[in-house]
Short mmCIF file of all heavy atoms in Angstrom, two decimals:
data_model
loop_
_atom_site.label_atom_id
_atom_site.label_comp_id
_atom_site.label_asym_id
_atom_site.label_seq_id
_atom_site.Cartn_x
_atom_site.Cartn_y
_atom_site.Cartn_z
N LYS A 22 58.75 66.02 50.95
CA LYS A 22 58.37 64.76 50.31
C LYS A 22 58.95 64.57 48.92
O LYS A 22 58.52 63.68 48.19
CB LYS A 22 56.84 64.62 50.27
CG LYS A 22 56.23 64.36 51.64
CD LYS A 22 54.70 64.39 51.62
CE LYS A 22 54.10 63.38 50.71
NZ LYS A 22 53.53 63.94 49.48
N ILE A 23 59.93 65.37 48.52
CA ILE A 23 60.64 65.08 47.26
C ILE A 23 61.78 64.12 47.59
O ILE A 23 62.60 64.39 48.47
CB ILE A 23 61.17 66.36 46.60
CG1 ILE A 23 59.99 67.25 46.15
CG2 ILE A 23 62.06 66.02 45.41
CD1 ILE A 23 60.40 68.49 45.38
N ASP A 24 61.82 62.99 46.90
CA ASP A 24 62.84 61.98 47.16
C ASP A 24 64.23 62.57 46.95
O ASP A 24 64.45 63.38 46.04
CB ASP A 24 62.67 60.78 46.22
CG ASP A 24 61.44 59.95 46.56
OD1 ASP A 24 60.92 60.08 47.69
OD2 ASP A 24 61.00 59.19 45.68
N ARG A 25 65.15 62.13 47.79
CA ARG A 25 66.52 62.63 47.69
C ARG A 25 67.09 62.45 46.28
O ARG A 25 67.75 63.34 45.76
CB ARG A 25 67.42 61.93 48.70
CG ARG A 25 67.10 62.26 50.15
CD ARG A 25 67.92 61.45 51.11
NE ARG A 25 67.51 61.72 52.49
CZ ARG A 25 67.99 61.08 53.54
NH1 ARG A 25 68.91 60.13 53.38
NH2 ARG A 25 67.56 61.38 54.76
N ASP A 26 66.81 61.30 45.68
CA ASP A 26 67.38 61.01 44.36
C ASP A 26 66.87 61.97 43.29
O ASP A 26 67.54 62.15 42.26
CB ASP A 26 67.06 59.57 43.95
CG ASP A 26 67.79 58.53 44.79
OD1 ASP A 26 68.75 58.91 45.50
OD2 ASP A 26 67.41 57.35 44.74
N ALA A 27 65.72 62.55 43.52
CA ALA A 27 65.12 63.45 42.52
C ALA A 27 65.35 64.92 42.83
O ALA A 27 65.09 65.78 41.99
CB ALA A 27 63.62 63.18 42.41
N THR A 28 65.85 65.23 44.03
CA THR A 28 65.86 66.62 44.49
C THR A 28 66.78 67.52 43.68
O THR A 28 66.39 68.62 43.27
CB THR A 28 66.23 66.69 45.98
OG1 THR A 28 65.29 65.93 46.74
CG2 THR A 28 66.24 68.13 46.47
N ALA A 29 68.03 67.09 43.46
CA ALA A 29 68.99 67.97 42.77
C ALA A 29 68.49 68.35 41.38
O ALA A 29 68.50 69.54 41.02
CB ALA A 29 70.36 67.28 42.68
N GLU A 30 68.03 67.38 40.62
CA GLU A 30 67.57 67.67 39.27
C GLU A 30 66.28 68.49 39.29
O GLU A 30 66.09 69.37 38.44
CB GLU A 30 67.34 66.36 38.50
CG GLU A 30 66.91 66.57 37.05
CD GLU A 30 67.85 67.47 36.25
OE1 GLU A 30 69.09 67.40 36.45
OE2 GLU A 30 67.34 68.24 35.40
N THR A 31 65.41 68.22 40.25
CA THR A 31 64.17 68.99 40.36
C THR A 31 64.46 70.45 40.65
O THR A 31 63.87 71.36 40.06
CB THR A 31 63.26 68.41 41.45
OG1 THR A 31 62.92 67.05 41.11
CG2 THR A 31 61.98 69.22 41.59
N VAL A 32 65.39 70.70 41.58
CA VAL A 32 65.75 72.08 41.92
C VAL A 32 66.36 72.79 40.72
O VAL A 32 65.99 73.92 40.39
CB VAL A 32 66.71 72.11 43.12
CG1 VAL A 32 67.32 73.50 43.30
CG2 VAL A 32 65.98 71.69 44.39
N ARG A 33 67.28 72.11 40.03
CA ARG A 33 67.90 72.74 38.86
C ARG A 33 66.85 73.02 37.78
O ARG A 33 66.85 74.09 37.17
CB ARG A 33 69.00 71.85 38.29
CG ARG A 33 69.84 72.56 37.22
CD ARG A 33 70.59 71.59 36.32
NE ARG A 33 71.23 72.31 35.21
CZ ARG A 33 70.57 72.75 34.12
NH1 ARG A 33 69.25 72.56 34.01
NH2 ARG A 33 71.21 73.41 33.17
N SER A 34 65.95 72.06 37.55
CA SER A 34 64.90 72.25 36.55
C SER A 34 63.98 73.41 36.94
O SER A 34 63.55 74.18 36.07
CB SER A 34 64.07 70.97 36.40
OG SER A 34 64.85 69.92 35.86
N ALA A 35 63.70 73.52 38.23
CA ALA A 35 62.84 74.61 38.69
C ALA A 35 63.48 75.96 38.39
O ALA A 35 62.82 76.88 37.90
CB ALA A 35 62.57 74.47 40.19
N VAL A 36 64.76 76.08 38.67
CA VAL A 36 65.46 77.33 38.37
C VAL A 36 65.43 77.60 36.86
O VAL A 36 65.20 78.73 36.41
CB VAL A 36 66.90 77.29 38.90
CG1 VAL A 36 67.68 78.53 38.47
CG2 VAL A 36 66.91 77.16 40.42
N GLU A 37 65.61 76.55 36.10
CA GLU A 37 65.65 76.69 34.64
C GLU A 37 64.33 77.23 34.09
O GLU A 37 64.32 78.03 33.15
CB GLU A 37 65.97 75.34 33.99
CG GLU A 37 66.22 75.40 32.50
CD GLU A 37 66.71 74.09 31.94
OE1 GLU A 37 66.41 73.03 32.54
OE2 GLU A 37 67.39 74.10 30.90
N VAL A 38 63.19 76.83 34.68
CA VAL A 38 61.90 77.30 34.17
C VAL A 38 61.44 78.59 34.83
O VAL A 38 60.37 79.11 34.50
CB VAL A 38 60.81 76.22 34.30
CG1 VAL A 38 61.20 74.96 33.55
CG2 VAL A 38 60.49 75.91 35.76
N GLY A 39 62.24 79.12 35.78
CA GLY A 39 61.94 80.44 36.29
C GLY A 39 61.78 80.59 37.79
O GLY A 39 61.59 81.71 38.28
N TYR A 40 61.83 79.51 38.54
CA TYR A 40 61.71 79.63 40.00
C TYR A 40 62.94 80.33 40.57
O TYR A 40 64.06 80.07 40.16
CB TYR A 40 61.59 78.26 40.66
CG TYR A 40 60.26 77.58 40.47
CD1 TYR A 40 59.92 76.99 39.24
CD2 TYR A 40 59.34 77.49 41.51
CE1 TYR A 40 58.71 76.36 39.06
CE2 TYR A 40 58.12 76.85 41.33
CZ TYR A 40 57.81 76.29 40.12
OH TYR A 40 56.61 75.65 39.94
N ARG A 41 62.68 81.18 41.55
CA ARG A 41 63.77 81.84 42.27
C ARG A 41 63.64 81.66 43.78
O ARG A 41 64.35 82.28 44.55
CB ARG A 41 63.82 83.33 41.92
CG ARG A 41 64.15 83.59 40.44
CD ARG A 41 65.54 83.12 40.09
NE ARG A 41 65.90 83.33 38.69
CZ ARG A 41 65.78 82.42 37.73
NH1 ARG A 41 65.27 81.22 38.02
NH2 ARG A 41 66.14 82.68 36.51
N HIS A 42 62.71 80.80 44.17
CA HIS A 42 62.41 80.59 45.59
C HIS A 42 62.42 79.08 45.85
O HIS A 42 61.64 78.34 45.25
CB HIS A 42 61.04 81.20 45.88
CG HIS A 42 60.57 81.07 47.31
ND1 HIS A 42 59.34 81.56 47.72
CD2 HIS A 42 61.12 80.52 48.40
CE1 HIS A 42 59.18 81.32 49.00
NE2 HIS A 42 60.24 80.67 49.44
N ILE A 43 63.31 78.63 46.72
CA ILE A 43 63.39 77.23 47.11
C ILE A 43 63.06 77.14 48.60
O ILE A 43 63.69 77.80 49.42
CB ILE A 43 64.80 76.65 46.86
CG1 ILE A 43 65.19 76.81 45.38
CG2 ILE A 43 64.85 75.18 47.29
CD1 ILE A 43 64.30 76.07 44.39
N ASP A 44 62.07 76.31 48.93
CA ASP A 44 61.62 76.18 50.31
C ASP A 44 62.08 74.83 50.87
O ASP A 44 61.50 73.79 50.57
CB ASP A 44 60.10 76.30 50.38
CG ASP A 44 59.59 76.27 51.81
OD1 ASP A 44 59.75 77.29 52.51
OD2 ASP A 44 59.06 75.22 52.24
N ALA A 45 63.14 74.87 51.67
CA ALA A 45 63.76 73.67 52.20
C ALA A 45 63.54 73.56 53.71
O ALA A 45 62.95 74.44 54.33
CB ALA A 45 65.26 73.69 51.88
N ALA A 46 64.03 72.47 54.30
CA ALA A 46 63.99 72.29 55.75
C ALA A 46 64.91 71.13 56.11
O ALA A 46 65.02 70.16 55.35
CB ALA A 46 62.58 72.00 56.24
N CYS A 47 65.52 71.23 57.26
CA CYS A 47 66.31 70.12 57.79
C CYS A 47 65.51 68.83 57.76
O CYS A 47 65.99 67.80 57.30
CB CYS A 47 66.75 70.44 59.23
SG CYS A 47 67.10 69.01 60.27
N ASP A 48 64.27 68.88 58.23
CA ASP A 48 63.47 67.67 58.40
C ASP A 48 63.13 66.99 57.08
O ASP A 48 62.81 65.80 57.07
CB ASP A 48 62.19 67.99 59.17
CG ASP A 48 61.39 66.74 59.47
OD1 ASP A 48 61.95 65.82 60.11
OD2 ASP A 48 60.22 66.65 59.07
#
Side-chain angles (χ1 to χ4, degrees):
K22 288 173 60 253
I23 295 185
D24 289 342
R25 292 175 185 175
D26 291 345
T28 301
E30 182 54 37
T31 299
V32 168
R33 190 200 173 282
S34 294
V36 174
E37 188 172 26
V38 301
Y40 287 75
R41 295 296 179 265
H42 180 181
I43 303 297
D44 184 75
C47 155
D48 185 57

